[in-house]
Amino acid sequence: MSHRKSKPITLMLLLSSVVTLGCSSGEDEVSGFAGLAEQIEQDAGQGAGYLQPGPGDAIELPADLGPHPQHRIEWWYLTANLTTGAGEPLGLQWTQFRQALEPRSPQDNPPPAEQWPLQSVWMAHAAVSHDGEHYFHEKLARGDIGHAGAVAEPFQVWLDAWRLAEREDPDGDPQWRLQVNGPGWGYNLLLQPRRAPVFHGDQGFSAKSAGGEGSMYFSYVDMAIEGTVTLKGETLAVHGTGWLDREWSSQFLKSGQKGWDWLALHLDSGAKLMAFRLREEDGGPFKSGTWVPAEGEPISLSGDEVMIEPVATRSTSRGQVPTRWQVKVPGQDLDVVVSAVPGDYWNLGVFPYWESPVRVSGSHEGRGYLELTGYGADE
Amino acid sequence: MKGPGYGRLLPLAVVSHYRRHPLQVTALLLILILATGLLTGVWDLTRQARHSMEQGDEAIGSRYQIVRQDSQSVTVADFVRLRRGGLCVLPWLEVSRPPPEGRVIGVDPLSVNCLRSADDNDDSRVAPGLGQAPFMDIGAAAAIAQEGYDSQLRLLVRHAGLSVPEPYRVTAVPGGLSTGELADSFLLNLDALSVLVLLITVLLVRSVYNLGLVQRRASLALLQRYGVPGPVLSSLLIAELVLLAVIASVPGLWLGQLLARVFASGFGQVMGNLFDLRLYGGTSLVSSYLLTLFTLLAVLAWCAADALGLGRRITGWLKVGPTGPVLAVAILIPGLAGLVWGSKLWLVFIAVGLVLLGIGLLIPILLARLIDRSARRSREPLQHWSRRELALMLRQVALPAVALQFAVAAVIAVQALVTTFESTFTQWLEQRLQGDVYIEVPDKRDISQVAEFLDSSSDVAAWHTVARGTARIAGDSVDLLVLPADSSLLDAWQFLEAVPQPWQALAIGGVMVNEQLARRNGLALGDTLTVTVAGAPYSAAVVAVYADYGRPVGEVLVPRKALPADFEPRFRSLTVQLAAEPAKGLAELRSELEALWRTGDLQLRDNQQIRQLATGVFDQTFALTRAISVLTLALANASLLLMGWVFFSSRRWYYQLLQVWGLARGELGSRIRRLSTSLTLLVGLSALGPGVLLTWVLVSRINPLAFGWSLPMAVYPLFWLEILALCLLVGLAIAALFQLQNRRQAPAPLPTTLGQGVER
């Protein structure tokens, strides 16, 4: 009996923690964050068998495009700043999360699908932001039965009919197709990486606290994108630039961390910037970032080398949200203001979070995306 | 009393009665709590069940599934294929276990949210709660199935008109035993019961409070003499009532919720197993509380009318002269007419209310007058006194007596209904579950493929085919049932009406109809009916009418030879009777038939298991109904006990006088015993008539109006004896309590104030 009863409970736990992945919600979910951290600490004490990334761990491609069943959490995360045929800006997001309920060695086979195993839960998010409106949809599935999953070669990530899959273009170069159908809207895009993947932090190990906990994290920072977006029965041709994150860990946020502020910017100079801060309950936030010059090697930024501070908030459907930020990287002569475009960009899934396109002005011009978790409140 | 202390002292003086009689306020509160608890409990349970049924209709009633065209079972791979193709299908794994664990249903809570985009924003309606039996995570259900229980995976979709890829198609989920109508009937009867509980509650609360008022008349008169104005006193009494209602309603409500929760677990299992519906929602505190509050307020208004002297004037006016009986008869006549001729359900409900009101008014007055008259005729003084005293008692405790009368009537009706329901349903189940095994003939498969095997197998004693389709009668569509009239498996059928040897009559050219069709089309035995099947008319005499409790639709039963050659049944099944000691089990039978039919998805049902399940479930269901009615009866009895005891206590002075006049102590004791038992027995006896009437209304009026079929009417005199024995016990208990009290205290002299306006 205990086995039967424990499943739904685990499921809820899992769902609450999926969120914490990178998309937690308001103040009300602080306990969700802490809950996950506590459970992780508990599991660690019992030797739960999850692998924990650390300095010195390396990224291997293409293998690391695939899933990591011995890690607790991971995601594939695309944000794109696109332009329609009419020259209007259009923001787009696609994310797929995996949350493990039980760790499994990559060498072990999953239980047979007929047993409807529940070792992992998958969650997919898709959103389109256009003309001040924001469309969002969420899907959930259990792993290991084929309903949702990911493979490294040929690269494919899917849940239901949503999928990102590798294919070859006529020249033999790798290309990815992303297909998503939300209720009454959808998109069908071709993505082509224009730069080699950027490994964040120490060869891909990205610290998330002063104590040294962190995740493995790399990004395709410059994806050429073209395709169509369907909204309100109208199909729009779009093109632009995307940013695809791959990240996995077994402990992402510690108890005491309230949420995170993350941004990825495409500057008109051709340079790219990723910066985030994790807000601590006690003391200042933990900051980090990566500067990707137009030419040359990426530069990892420590907390002292990047400044990221909110300068104005916006009243939204779920309360005040910091939508205007000052970002400085003194070493690169960058001093910009990053502002969310007008609108309400809450992704109202099981666990709400903010995901909006942004404009960059100041020492540099450009576009990008802003993701905020741990703000707002339930109505 | 006047001056600055007036405001504080007066309320204290008013409630000082309870300080002197703490038992009385405790009893009053206890009865209030029990009554509100019972009321909210029953109300909540029926409301929950009804709500669940509506949800069940949404979630399960309109169920469609995706099956494979090649009749193979669907698997998790099919689920994945369809989901990845963009279809919103939900896995549903049913695992059959024998009682007491019962059936479980595995669902995948993660996959239900596609319904949100498919239809609306509320998937809670169709997403069953995981924590609520019989639902669980599909993985856990699969683990149970692996222990060796029969299981079946279905892939559910919301709409029949969905376009699905090859090699799939959409079909309706087979309903199995469709018992939705029975569930409805059961709930309607529970509703009727809760209305009765409401009525009894109101009567009890009012009578208990009234009794208190009578006892306080002296102290209230004293206050008035000290100069407290009447209206101030009345408003203080009303304030006291409000306070009592508030104090009692909170624990009462809690008790009701507890009762509903305790019953709901059994009830939920019953509804789930038997009627294929589930209790989804928790209890709603708000609606229960509103009902309780409304009831208490209504009683309060009534009591307030008393406090203002209005009620007393009316009841006094009713008790003397011809007004009471005339009014009662004036209420009874339209009530009875409504019962007999009412063509709408709500009319019958109103008529029941009128009849009960009339009976409640008439019987105590009538009984008291009859006894008064017999007292006048009696020459023996003690007998004369006894009868007068009984008549007085009947008038004084009329309300709790009526409440007990209604409770007894309700218990009699419920008992009769339940017993009839149980035996009828068991018979019907036997009839429907002929043979040991039921097998669905798979799509595009022929019976001839297995006929030889069934004929030759030593494990099969007998078998026949059942076909279902649609026919038309005077342009209206009815269900068609085709059975081989010569099958030995049909011998157990019982008919509501039939010619001698109905199966032979059917074979040589007859037709049978279900009760619903007979009622709707006014058909009787011997009437000629023309049924059109596949365009060909078939005219035959009605040779039998059979009970068909499952559904509201009409159905005709015709012999195979009456059908045109091109008749295509909508559905075919086999009924198989196994040999006394079959060498092989059901699993072997299934695999042999699956091999012959080349299918992996044979629907095979063990009828014995279903019978056991149904029996177990019925015991549980009716234990519940009985528990509710017995609780009501206990409450009514307890009130009468209390009131009778208080009545005797207030008459102690007179009884003492009898002793002074020379009546032996033992003789007085036996007089009192006779008095109290006469009272309770009279109440019990006078409830028999209303009990039978209520039974008749439930089975012969409410059911046919609501569902098109009736249950047979039966009375159970042995049960009446049990009820009368209970009344006798209560009567003896009243006398024993009084005598116990009498032995302990000397009677107080009669206060002069009590003599005013009180019947001696």
Side-chain angles (χ1 to χ4, degrees):
Chain A
M1 274 319 275
S2 64
H3 170 64
R4 277 168 226 152
K5 278 191 176 160
S6 70
K7 283 282 181 179
I9 296 165
T10 326
L11 194 68
M12 285 325 295
L13 226 155
L14 151 255
L15 276 174
S16 68
S17 48
V18 157
V19 169
T20 38
L21 270 195
C23 47
S24 174
S25 52
E27 298 291 332
D28 51 315
E29 270 149 36
V30 166
S31 61
F33 275 107
L36 174 67
E38 276 157 22
Q39 209 216 341
I40 288 168
E41 278 152 21
Q42 234 176 43
D43 284 355
Q46 292 162 0
Y50 288 106
L51 279 185
Q52 183 59 53
D57 284 3
I59 287 173
E60 280 177 43
L61 288 175
D64 281 328
L65 278 172
H68 298 80
Q70 210 161 354
H71 288 80
R72 188 188 294 274
I73 46 178
E74 65 185 314
W75 62 82
W76 295 254
Y77 210 121
L78 175 81
T79 51
N81 296 95
L82 308 177
T83 308
T84 66
E88 295 163 340
L90 184 144
L92 184 145
Q93 177 209 349
W94 166 87
T95 311
Q96 192 153 322
F97 303 94
R98 183 191 62 85
Q99 168 84 32
L101 298 180
E102 291 171 37
R104 189 179 70 232
S105 160
Q107 283 78 45
D108 291 346
N109 287 324
E114 288 67 34
Q115 291 177 10
W116 296 87
L118 191 53
Q119 291 189 342
S120 63
V121 169
W122 294 71
M123 177 164 77
H125 286 173
V128 172
S129 308
H130 177 56
D131 199 16
E133 289 192 60
H134 187 67
Y135 304 83
F136 169 77
H137 195 62
E138 176 178 69
K139 282 175 175 284
L140 296 165
R142 64 177 65 214
D144 303 318
I145 62 168
H147 187 185
V151 287
E153 275 187 293
F155 176 51
Q156 197 184 163
V157 187
W158 75 94
L159 194 161
D160 281 351
W162 293 7
R163 64 184 202 139
L164 174 67
E166 183 178 335
R167 52 172 243 167
E168 283 188 358
D169 78 350
D171 302 329
D173 292 331
Q175 236 184 12
W176 297 337
R177 178 170 289 284
L178 175 62
Q179 288 165 298
V180 161
N181 280 301
W185 57 273
Y187 45 79
N188 188 345
L189 306 171
L190 273 177
L191 295 79
Q192 195 145 26
R194 282 190 289 225
R195 284 184 75 137
V198 169
F199 296 175
H200 300 285
D202 174 11
Q203 297 299 309
F205 174 74
S206 164
K208 293 288 187 286
S209 79
E213 293 87 355
S215 61
M216 298 307 293
Y217 182 15
F218 71 91
S219 307
Y220 290 91
V221 300
D222 190 8
M223 307 278 285
I225 296 180
E226 63 179 49
T228 56
V229 174
T230 305
L231 286 176
K232 296 176 180 171
E234 196 185 347
T235 301
L236 308 169
V238 292
H239 67 276
T241 308
W243 178 298
L244 180 87
D245 275 347
R246 264 301 278 129
E247 193 159 5
W248 63 96
S249 180
S250 290
Q251 180 166 15
F252 192 66
L253 288 166
K254 295 195 312 164
S255 52
Q257 289 183 325
K258 289 163 67 181
W260 83 342
D261 312 312
W262 171 94
L263 48 85
L265 307 177
H266 304 279
L267 303 174
D268 289 351
S269 63
K272 314 275 176 185
L273 174 70
M274 183 282 295
F276 65 84
R277 55 170 217 162
L278 291 154
R279 303 191 302 282
E280 305 272 355
E281 257 171 15
D282 310 314
F286 178 85
K287 291 179 295 177
S288 181
T290 304
W291 174 260
V292 187
E295 306 267 328
E297 289 301 303
I299 300 159
S300 201
L301 303 172
S302 69
D304 305 333
E305 294 167 320
V306 59
M307 190 205 96
I308 163 170
E309 288 295 333
V311 289
T313 62
R314 179 181 298 176
S315 178
T316 72
S317 56
R318 288 176 55 85
Q320 291 293 320
V321 172
T323 50
R324 200 173 161 85
W325 295 73
Q326 181 151 41
V327 180
K328 289 183 189 171
V329 182
Q332 303 297 330
D333 296 328
L334 178 103
D335 182 353
V336 293
V337 169
V338 174
S339 318
V341 298
D344 197 289
Y345 297 95
W346 281 103
N347 280 352
L348 297 174
V350 181
F351 307 100
Y353 61 100
W354 177 274
E355 186 85 47
S356 65
V358 290
R359 288 203 188 95
V360 183
S361 57
S363 65
H364 294 65
E365 304 283 310
R367 304 192 283 181
Y369 250 86
L370 172 70
E371 181 182 302
L372 306 171
T373 75
Y375 295 101
D378 280 326
E379 283 154 22
Chain B
M1 267 310 162
K2 291 183 182 172
Y6 180 92
R8 201 162 49 85
L9 279 180
L10 187 57
L12 283 179
V14 169
V15 297
S16 66
H17 170 79
Y18 292 127
R19 208 170 49 208
R20 288 193 302 278
H21 303 278
L23 206 64
Q24 213 171 74
V25 74
T26 314
L28 181 62
L29 280 174
L30 206 67
I31 284 185
L32 270 172
I33 291 170
L34 278 176
T36 46
L38 194 62
L39 179 62
T40 44
V42 173
W43 172 263
D44 217 54
L45 204 59
T46 46
R47 193 199 53 80
Q48 252 188 75
R50 203 164 280 288
H51 177 64
S52 303
M53 190 144 79
E54 282 158 16
Q55 281 191 320
D57 279 349
E58 278 287 329
I60 298 139
S62 60
R63 239 175 19 178
Y64 294 94
Q65 61 176 346
I66 293 184
V67 295
R68 294 181 61 97
Q69 288 174 358
D70 59 6
S71 294
Q72 296 297 311
S73 310
V74 289
T75 63
V76 61
D78 294 301
F79 166 72
V80 168
R81 186 170 166 187
L82 291 162
R83 286 295 293 232
R84 293 196 64 182
L87 282 172
C88 179
V89 294
L90 308 179
W92 179 275
L93 183 67
E94 282 191 38
V95 185
S96 312
R97 288 182 304 180
E101 291 95 341
R103 173 182 69 158
V104 296
I105 292 166
V107 290
D108 180 17
L110 293 165
S111 59
V112 294
N113 95 329
C114 65
L115 291 170
R116 186 185 291 186
S117 52
D119 267 341
D120 48 47
N121 288 322
D122 180 17
D123 53 4
S124 59
R125 267 185 316 139
V126 284
L130 268 189
Q132 291 165 315
F135 293 106
M136 56 171 64
D137 181 72
I138 192 164
I144 294 175
Q146 278 199 324
E147 291 167 21
Y149 297 109
D150 250 10
S151 70
Q152 190 185 12
L153 178 70
R154 295 186 194 281
L155 301 179
L156 303 184
V157 289
R158 282 295 286 277
H159 306 292
L162 207 67
S163 90
V164 291
E166 290 284 325
Y168 302 101
R169 64 189 174 85
V170 179
T171 65
V173 174
L177 279 173
S178 164
T179 44
E181 290 289 315
L182 275 184
D184 234 344
S185 157
F186 178 67
L187 290 181
L188 193 70
N189 290 320
L190 260 189
D191 273 353
L193 188 65
S194 60
V195 170
L196 270 174
V197 169
L198 178 80
L199 200 67
I200 292 162
T201 311
V202 168
L203 288 175
L204 286 183
V205 171
R206 187 185 178 278
S207 58
V208 171
Y209 184 75
N210 251 8
L211 188 82
L213 264 192
V214 168
Q215 285 198 317
R216 290 160 72 183
R217 204 170 285 161
S219 62
L220 294 177
L222 196 68
L223 284 173
Q224 257 184 315
R225 220 172 297 146
Y226 279 129
V228 181
V232 172
L233 216 51
S234 299
S235 45
L236 272 174
L237 284 175
I238 290 169
E240 177 197 299
L241 264 176
V242 173
L243 195 70
L244 278 175
V246 169
I247 293 174
S249 71
V250 172
L253 187 71
W254 173 81
L255 184 73
Q257 300 283 320
L258 186 77
L259 217 68
R261 257 205 306 280
V262 168
F263 284 161
S265 57
F267 199 61
Q269 177 89 354
V270 167
M271 298 311 257
N273 281 331
L274 187 62
F275 301 137
D276 211 14
L277 66 91
R278 285 151 200 101
L279 297 185
Y280 287 89
T283 55
S284 151
L285 219 61
V286 178
S287 75
S288 302
Y289 193 75
L290 283 181
L291 173 85
T292 312
L293 208 66
F294 177 77
T295 310
L296 285 180
L297 279 176
V299 183
L300 178 78
W302 194 4
C303 294
D306 267 346
L308 297 171
L310 203 67
R312 216 179 314 136
R313 272 202 294 281
I314 294 173
T315 44
W317 177 59
L318 289 177
K319 276 176 190 167
V320 290
T323 325
V326 168
L327 184 70
V329 172
I331 292 171
L332 266 176
I333 289 172
L336 286 171
L339 277 192
V340 178
W341 291 295
S343 56
K344 294 269 185 288
L345 205 56
W346 59 269
L347 264 178
V348 173
F349 273 121
I350 290 176
V352 172
L354 285 178
V355 167
L356 286 181
L357 183 66
I359 289 174
L361 269 175
L362 190 62
I363 287 188
I365 301 175
L366 222 56
L367 278 178
R369 289 193 187 176
L370 280 175
I371 295 163
D372 264 342
R373 192 169 297 172
S374 83
R376 277 199 292 277
R377 282 202 209 114
S378 132
R379 292 196 188 130
E380 206 258 302
L382 265 177
Q383 199 179 32
H384 177 84
W385 172 82
S386 290
R387 288 185 185 166
R388 289 295 299 245
E389 191 71 6
L390 183 60
L392 173 65
M393 256 181 106
L394 267 170
R395 276 192 288 272
Q396 291 273 324
V397 296
L399 278 176
V402 167
L404 180 64
Q405 194 192 7
F406 287 176
V408 170
V411 168
I412 287 173
V414 165
Q415 195 272 345
L417 179 81
V418 161
T419 315
T420 315
F421 207 82
E422 197 169 7
S423 62
T424 310
F425 188 79
T426 312
Q427 275 174 19
W428 174 74
L429 206 64
E430 283 295 326
Q431 184 167 307
R432 289 282 140 157
L433 301 176
Q434 317 126 19
D436 299 317
V437 187
Y438 159 95
I439 299 156
E440 263 181 50
V441 178
D443 248 19
K444 296 176 186 160
R445 301 295 191 275
D446 208 69
I447 293 166
S448 61
Q449 289 170 284
V450 297
E452 199 186 318
F453 161 73
L454 290 173
D455 284 337
S456 61
S457 169
S458 58
D459 286 345
V460 174
W463 67 280
H464 73 225
T465 59
V466 180
R468 291 183 179 277
T470 311
R472 299 191 87 79
I473 294 173
D476 291 333
S477 179
V478 292
D479 279 1
L480 175 73
L481 176 63
V482 189
L483 289 172
D486 56 350
S487 170
S488 60
L489 298 181
L490 299 173
D491 295 345
W493 270 52
Q494 293 194 354
F495 298 97
L496 298 174
E497 280 182 287
V499 299
Q501 302 192 312
W503 291 111
Q504 280 94 320
L506 181 77
I508 58 172
V511 60
M512 295 180 178
V513 295
N514 72 354
E515 185 187 359
Q516 288 87 322
L517 187 66
R519 276 180 186 273
R520 206 172 303 149
N521 292 21
L523 292 170
L525 291 185
D527 289 355
T528 302
L529 185 66
T530 304
V531 185
T532 308
V533 183
Y538 168 71
S539 286
V542 175
V543 296
V545 178
Y546 56 92
D548 186 9
Y549 298 118
R551 313 146 321 127
V553 293
E555 184 181 85
V556 285
L557 198 167
V558 299
R560 183 72 188 86
K561 67 169 192 180
L563 300 172
D566 57 349
F567 165 71
E568 272 292 323
R570 191 180 63 219
F571 181 82
R572 287 170 308 163
S573 63
L574 302 180
T575 301
V576 175
Q577 175 92 48
L578 296 177
E581 283 179 16
K584 295 173 190 164
L586 280 186
E588 279 89 347
L589 178 68
R590 176 199 289 272
S591 57
E592 276 168 307
L593 288 173
E594 279 181 344
L596 286 167
W597 267 325
R598 290 192 202 91
T599 176
D601 185 23
L602 191 67
Q603 299 285 323
L604 184 145
R605 201 174 65 198
D606 181 356
N607 284 345
Q608 189 53 37
Q609 240 179 35
I610 292 187
R611 265 186 221 110
Q612 274 173 7
L613 184 77
T615 313
V617 151
F618 258 104
D619 289 347
Q620 214 175 349
T621 312
F622 294 126
L624 202 75
T625 322
R626 283 194 184 108
I628 293 170
S629 51
V630 165
L631 267 175
T632 316
L633 185 67
L635 186 67
N637 267 321
S639 311
L640 191 70
L641 186 78
L642 183 80
M643 307 257 323
W645 177 28
V646 173
F647 171 82
F648 279 127
S649 306
S650 70
R651 310 283 290 174
R652 274 171 69 207
W653 198 81
Y654 296 104
Y655 302 152
Q656 208 68 32
L657 217 56
L658 287 177
Q659 255 182 298
V660 173
W661 288 338
L663 194 67
R665 194 189 180 91
E667 174 69 5
L668 179 68
S670 95
R671 289 265 159 198
I672 285 170
R673 257 197 310 282
R674 237 176 291 163
L675 263 178
S676 61
T677 50
S678 301
L679 173 77
T680 51
L681 277 177
L682 268 177
V683 169
L685 280 169
S686 63
L688 296 182
V692 174
L693 182 73
L694 268 180
T695 315
W696 175 78
V697 169
L698 285 176
V699 302
S700 302
R701 298 295 298 136
I702 291 178
N703 255 334
L705 278 177
F707 314 111
W709 47 265
S710 73
L711 288 162
M713 171 82 190
V715 287
Y716 300 88
L718 267 181
F719 184 69
W720 298 357
L721 284 181
E722 285 173 34
I723 290 283
L724 290 178
L726 183 68
C727 289
L728 191 70
L729 270 179
V730 173
L732 288 173
I734 293 173
L737 270 173
F738 171 65
Q739 278 163 322
L740 198 73
Q741 189 191 19
N742 217 13
R743 234 168 275 153
R744 284 192 186 154
Q745 310 169 267
L750 178 72
T752 48
T753 45
L754 207 66
Q756 295 167 0
V758 179
E759 221 178 332
R760 293 198 194 196

